[in-house]
């Protein structure tokens, strides 16, 4: 897909990525990070940072999530990009985190894959990146 702005550099909306990796290999983290970066590139979003949460704790307030909320408080922050909703955590924690992201900060929540279908803002001219499909299909 060609950028909408063609050859003129434009600062797109500033977004932050969030990954919850309880027991993931470095290769999986790298693949998911690449998928987020590719999604942002193809949708002309500026990926300002990536917050990675490790562990399986039962708390909605971890260092990574608190850092994400702090970044979303910055004036230019637009959204959080996730590979799938499951990266917000188990259902009770995910519901609270979603409320904090969208309600408290006013940021959007962008899911590359929502569990039912892949989200598309624009139709790609040459199809999806094959790496993206493989990484995200493993998420469900």
């Amino acid at each position: 897909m060609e950028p909408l702005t063609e050859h003129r550099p434009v600062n797109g909306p500033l977004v932050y990525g969030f990954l919850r990796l309880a027991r993931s290999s470095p290769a999986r983290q790298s693949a998911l990070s690449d998928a987020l970066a590719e999604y942002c590139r193809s949708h002309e979003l500026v990926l300002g940072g990536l917050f990675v949460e490790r562990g399986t704790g039962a708390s909605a307030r971890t260092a990574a999530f608190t850092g994400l909320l702090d970044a979303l408080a910055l004036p230019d922050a637009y959204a959080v990009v996730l590979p799938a909703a499951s990266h917000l955590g188990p259902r009770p924690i995910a519901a609270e985190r979603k409320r904090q992201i969208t309600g408290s900060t006013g940021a959007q929540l962008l899911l590359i894959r929502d569990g039912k279908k892949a989200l598309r803002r624009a139709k790609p001219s040459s199809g999806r990146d094959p790496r993206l499909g493989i990484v995200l299909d493993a998420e469900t």
Side-chain angles (χ1 to χ4, degrees), residues 20-21 28 32 83-87 113 134-140:
R20 184 172 187 268
L21 303 171
R28 178 154 172 78
L32 288 170
S86 62
H87 281 267
R113 183 174 180 91
I134 292 169
V135 170
L136 297 177
D137 286 344
E139 183 60 32
T140 58

Side-chain angles (χ1 to χ4, degrees), residues 39-60:
Y39 177 85
C40 291
R41 186 201 62 77
S42 67
H43 289 83
E44 296 186 345
L45 302 169
V46 175
L47 184 59
L50 178 61
F51 295 86
V52 179
E53 179 178 273
R54 300 201 180 277
T56 58
S59 172

Side-chain angles (χ1 to χ4, degrees), residues 32-91:
L32 288 170
S33 299
D34 290 347
L36 290 179
E38 175 59 24
Y39 177 85
C40 291
R41 186 201 62 77
S42 67
H43 289 83
E44 296 186 345
L45 302 169
V46 175
L47 184 59
L50 178 61
F51 295 86
V52 179
E53 179 178 273
R54 300 201 180 277
T56 58
S59 172
R61 294 293 265 194
T62 63
F65 190 72
T66 300
L68 174 66
L69 293 178
D70 287 346
L72 292 174
L74 297 172
D76 293 337
Y78 170 70
V80 176
V81 179
L82 303 164
S86 62
H87 281 267
L88 287 176
R91 287 184 192 244

Side-chain angles (χ1 to χ4, degrees), residues 94-108:
E96 173 60 20
R97 287 180 169 182
K98 182 178 179 182
R99 185 195 65 74
Q100 288 179 315
I101 290 169
T102 59
S104 299
T105 69
Q108 300 294 312

